[in-house]
Amino acid sequence: MIFKVYYQKSITEVPVRENTKTMYVEANYEREVRTKLADRGFNIEYVQPVVDAFLDYEKQNEDFKVLEID
């Protein structure tokens, strides 16, 4: 399954909408996404599953790249 992760680049940053970044991560469930990203120092705001029509829509974005993190 693919998840869309909303995050700030630094865990010390206060979440501000204008500074929020997104990435796509392949995992089986949300907890696995958070575990995979734990050592990167991101301030993860929200993890959202991307399925069906939403996934098709996101694939149209030129920045759509799925990270496969072990």
Side-chain angles (χ1 to χ4, degrees):
M1 177 180 272
I2 297 175
F3 292 87
K4 185 173 186 177
V5 180
Y6 298 84
Y7 69 98
Q8 305 291 317
K9 285 194 172 202
S10 173
I11 197 139
T12 60
E13 281 186 51
V14 175
V16 177
R17 176 184 278 183
E18 292 78 18
N19 297 335
T20 299
K21 309 287 185 211
T22 59
M23 75 171 78
Y24 301 91
V25 178
E26 188 170 343
N28 293 319
Y29 46 92
E30 180 181 341
R31 183 179 205 126
E32 184 179 351
V33 172
R34 292 182 179 276
T35 302
K36 287 180 176 185
L37 297 175
D39 65 341
R40 299 195 178 210
F42 295 143
N43 183 5
I44 298 174
E45 295 177 40
Y46 184 62
V47 178
Q48 178 180 23
V50 181
V51 294
D52 303 327
F54 184 32
L55 178 59
D56 294 336
Y57 174 78
E58 291 293 333
K59 284 181 179 179
Q60 294 174 15
N61 184 348
E62 63 185 40
D63 295 331
F64 182 82
K65 294 179 183 120
V66 177
L67 298 177
E68 294 182 22
I69 305 169
D70 292 330

